[in-house]
Amino acid sequence: QVQLVESGGGLVQAGGSLRLSCAVSGRTFSNTAMGWFRQAPGKEREFVAAISGGSSTIYADSVKGRFTISRENAKNTVYLQMNSLRPEDTAVYSCAASTWAMPRRAVHEYDYWGQGTQVTVSS
């Protein structure tokens, strides 16, 4: 059974930083894409960042230059370093695993999802 478990969320002031982690068990995704998505109250789930097995990355324009996605295949873990956080970054952040090799932006291109971790940025 594949499980994705996020951690590292919390409450932070605007301008602060957080590092999210996503630990995967039950299957290795070292050769396929992993992604981070977020969903704010009353809004659709949106793409944040994704990384291929070879560590090619893509980002949403809203987080480019502030967030960094990385992976540690030996630990089957993906990270999202979030700097210069803004109140509009407040959301539940979820990681996802795809069977595609290259990073993807669309929700439907991911097959496995974590439960999410809350990130709240105060102004």
Side-chain angles (χ1 to χ4, degrees):
Q1 182 182 356
V2 178
Q3 283 192 312
L4 284 70
V5 179
E6 302 94 339
S7 61
L11 173 64
V12 65
Q13 288 190 328
S17 298
L18 284 174
R19 188 195 195 204
L20 306 183
S21 298
C22 172
V24 183
S25 62
R27 175 177 168 172
T28 298
F29 290 94
S30 58
N31 295 321
T32 60
M34 298 285 297
W36 285 96
F37 291 76
R38 66 186 182 187
Q39 188 168 20
K43 294 189 175 182
E44 297 284 324
R45 180 176 286 177
E46 66 172 358
F47 169 76
V48 175
I51 186 168
S52 72
S55 295
S56 296
T57 58
I58 55 174
Y59 296 91
D61 288 344
S62 59
V63 306
K64 201 173 293 183
R66 300 188 297 123
F67 291 11
T68 302
I69 187 171
S70 61
R71 66 191 300 164
E72 194 169 358
N73 287 335
K75 294 186 177 180
N76 225 14
T77 300
V78 178
Y79 306 97
L80 186 67
Q81 177 67 44
M82 305 186 296
N83 299 329
S84 302
L85 282 160
R86 305 167 180 168
E88 54 264 38
D89 294 319
T90 295
V92 174
Y93 285 71
S94 300
C95 69
S98 173
T99 54
W100 291 95
M102 294 305 292
R104 304 284 170 166
R105 296 177 181 270
V107 170
H108 72 266
E109 292 177 304
Y110 289 82
D111 304 286
Y112 303 95
W113 292 83
Q115 292 294 313
T117 185
Q118 176 70 46
V119 171
T120 303
V121 185
S122 63
S123 57

